[in-house]
Amino acid sequence: MNVTTSKLNEKYVKNLVCFLFGRITSELGTSIFKFALSLHILDITGSATIFSTILSVGMLPSIFVNIFAGIGIDRGNKKKIMVACDCTSAVCMIIFFLTYLKVYDSILLLGVYSIVLSTIQSVFSLTVYSSIPNLFAKDKIMKINSDYQAVGAVVNILGPVLGGVLYYAISFKYIIIIEIVTFVLSALSELLFTYKKNIMQDNNKFSDNFRNVYGYISREKIIFNLLTIVLIVNFVFIPLTSVLLPYYGYKVMELSSTALGSLQASWSVGVIIGAVFASIKLIQSKLCKLIFRFLQLQGVIILLWLIPSVLFNHSVTAIVVLVTFGGILLVGGLFNSIINIPMMTYLQVAVPENIRASIYGVVNTCVMIAAPIGIWLYGIIIDKMNISIGVVISGVIILITSTLACHNKGMREFFAKEIKD
């Protein structure tokens, strides 16, 4: 091993450790805090309406951030922006803590902070996504995305559990302190990054950059098609997992809350397993070439959601139904990883750095708009029709989308390319 290779490996290991440490501490801390905050709001108000209103209002700034902030991120120093976001979050948390000690039951305070935190974290998320190619070599990006996806799945499992335990074990104010510490640790880890700066100087006006972003999407058909697929998949999967699954398990199959939690955890376990597969260098190219075949299989997996209800209607024991449904969801989560990770990676590599955060902002905006529409439509389907129709519609949409993608020569060739530095 020569000196250059040794230095590159040292840089990779340092960036990897700092990146994953920062993400684990920051995202786990935020997940714990958000879950504890939701319990605190319910304890104070006892109102599901006020609770849902605060949560929904807190999400609104993210839509505007994702539309406009990406351009500013692309024009700036992403490392400094990440550090600034974490430091600003820590300062806001300190102010929140001091204010909370005096007016701990203020709904206005909780609502304002929810908006502020959501706004900062949206900027931070865009910056992290667009910074990965600046921190790692191109041939390492898919592994990093796999690790990041696995971290997210672990956080989704542990965050609510730890948040619930800590909320009842210690005072809410101490959870705020934990959140402050995680933001500080995350900022310190980001300061240690060896960051490859953008050598492109962007002197365009903001309005010109805005037009360039949407001009790029309309001009690059592969990127436009890929964004369309991402939009359709999220339009189906967000309401499928957040509305249909809980209703299906809790109301139709009459599972306990513990059993339903186990089902949802099985999806996250599948996501982790899929992320491990996607991180294996030897099979990454094969996964990419078969990405739309996996999406077709995902459509079939959705249709298999009908099996548990058939078993339930034939008086099969609850444990058999639970294990069957859990297995189906685990496989679904696995496919979710090995589809999403290559899509994310190829977007990061294919999109020019000077508009990368902006493109990701467009993706997030589309998802944020599509998700509530999808949730609303699925609610109507559940109320007005048989819930099985919702499952069938979901599976058919994914099958049609994946089949069209499989027959698109440009899309197949795009994912058949090797990612090389």
Side-chain angles (χ1 to χ4, degrees), residues 252-358:
V252 177
M253 293 191 293
E254 300 178 340
L255 299 174
S256 67
S257 58
T258 303
L260 182 59
S262 300
L263 282 180
Q264 292 173 320
S266 66
W267 175 274
S268 296
V269 171
V271 169
I272 295 171
I273 296 172
V276 172
F277 275 110
S279 69
I280 300 173
K281 182 72 175 176
L282 293 176
I283 64 173
Q284 285 176 353
S285 61
K286 294 180 181 179
L287 291 179
C288 294
K289 291 176 183 177
L290 296 173
I291 186 171
F292 296 120
R293 295 298 180 189
F294 287 127
L295 189 57
Q296 283 182 317
L297 289 174
Q298 186 71 289
V300 175
I301 291 296
I302 293 173
L303 294 176
L304 293 181
W305 282 34
L306 297 172
I307 292 177
S309 62
V310 172
L311 295 176
F312 178 78
N313 291 332
H314 284 78
S315 301
V316 176
T317 59
I319 188 65
V320 173
V321 175
L322 185 62
V323 170
T324 302
F325 205 177
I328 292 171
L329 290 174
L330 187 146
V331 176
L334 186 152
F335 282 134
N336 186 70
S337 278
I338 60 180
I339 291 167
N340 282 342
I341 291 170
M343 281 191 179
M344 181 187 301
T345 301
Y346 274 75
L347 269 176
Q348 287 169 322
V349 173
V351 175
E353 182 184 352
N354 64 316
I355 58 171
R356 191 184 296 139
S358 302

Side-chain angles (χ1 to χ4, degrees), residues 213-227:
V213 169
Y214 289 91
Y216 176 84
I217 294 174
S218 61
R219 184 174 64 253
E220 298 292 334
K221 297 302 180 184
I222 296 298
I223 301 299
F224 177 81
N225 291 338
L226 188 56
L227 293 179

Side-chain angles (χ1 to χ4, degrees), residues 84-394:
C85 284
D86 273 332
C87 290
T88 303
S89 296
V91 170
C92 288
M93 287 298 297
I94 292 171
I95 297 172
F96 174 69
F97 175 75
L98 295 174
T99 310
Y100 172 81
L101 294 178
K102 296 182 179 181
V103 284
Y104 69 92
D105 58 349
S106 170
I107 295 300
L108 178 61
L109 172 65
L110 298 176
V112 169
Y113 180 74
S114 179
I115 293 173
V116 171
L117 181 62
S118 176
T119 302
I120 298 172
Q121 291 301 303
S122 294
V123 175
F124 182 78
S125 177
L126 281 178
T127 311
V128 169
Y129 168 84
S130 60
S131 295
I132 290 177
N134 296 98
L135 297 171
F136 305 99
K138 286 184 180 180
D139 61 344
K140 302 289 187 183
I141 293 177
M142 192 175 297
K143 183 183 185 310
I144 301 303
N145 285 327
S146 301
D147 293 341
Y148 196 9
Q149 182 105 341
V151 166
V154 172
V155 167
N156 287 338
I157 296 173
L158 292 181
V161 174
L162 293 176
V165 171
L166 291 174
Y167 181 74
Y168 292 108
I170 61 177
S171 172
F172 180 65
K173 64 183 179 182
Y174 293 117
I175 295 179
I176 301 175
I177 294 174
I178 292 173
E179 177 76 322
I180 294 170
V181 172
T182 61
F183 282 132
V184 172
L185 290 174
S186 180
L188 291 174
S189 70
E190 289 149 10
L191 286 171
L192 298 175
F193 285 155
T194 300
Y195 190 84
K196 182 172 60 178
K197 294 182 180 179
N198 181 8
I199 60 173
M200 299 174 65
Q201 296 296 319
D202 191 347
N203 298 314
N204 291 334
K205 295 180 180 179
F206 187 90
S207 58
D208 291 336
N209 286 77
F210 197 78
R211 284 192 292 269
N212 289 341
V213 169
Y214 289 91
Y216 176 84
I217 294 174
S218 61
R219 184 174 64 253
E220 298 292 334
K221 297 302 180 184
I222 296 298
I223 301 299
F224 177 81
N225 291 338
L226 188 56
L227 293 179
T228 302
I229 292 172
V230 170
L231 177 63
I232 293 172
V233 168
N234 280 278
F235 175 81
V236 170
F237 271 97
I238 291 177
L240 192 69
T241 54
S242 63
V243 177
L244 199 145
L245 175 59
Y247 190 93
Y248 195 32
Y250 201 61
K251 292 293 186 181
V252 177
M253 293 191 293
E254 300 178 340
L255 299 174
S256 67
S257 58
T258 303
L260 182 59
S262 300
L263 282 180
Q264 292 173 320
S266 66
W267 175 274
S268 296
V269 171
V271 169
I272 295 171
I273 296 172
V276 172
F277 275 110
S279 69
I280 300 173
K281 182 72 175 176
L282 293 176
I283 64 173
Q284 285 176 353
S285 61
K286 294 180 181 179
L287 291 179
C288 294
K289 291 176 183 177
L290 296 173
I291 186 171
F292 296 120
R293 295 298 180 189
F294 287 127
L295 189 57
Q296 283 182 317
L297 289 174
Q298 186 71 289
V300 175
I301 291 296
I302 293 173
L303 294 176
L304 293 181
W305 282 34
L306 297 172
I307 292 177
S309 62
V310 172
L311 295 176
F312 178 78
N313 291 332
H314 284 78
S315 301
V316 176
T317 59
I319 188 65
V320 173
V321 175
L322 185 62
V323 170
T324 302
F325 205 177
I328 292 171
L329 290 174
L330 187 146
V331 176
L334 186 152
F335 282 134
N336 186 70
S337 278
I338 60 180
I339 291 167
N340 282 342
I341 291 170
M343 281 191 179
M344 181 187 301
T345 301
Y346 274 75
L347 269 176
Q348 287 169 322
V349 173
V351 175
E353 182 184 352
N354 64 316
I355 58 171
R356 191 184 296 139
S358 302
I359 296 297
Y360 190 55
V362 172
V363 175
N364 280 350
T365 301
C366 291
V367 170
M368 288 177 180
I369 293 173
I373 295 174
I375 289 172
W376 175 68
L377 289 175
Y378 271 71
I380 293 176
I381 291 173
I382 290 173
D383 283 339
K384 303 297 183 182
M385 309 178 198
N386 190 299
I387 195 170
S388 298
I389 294 176
V391 175
V392 173
I393 290 174
S394 301

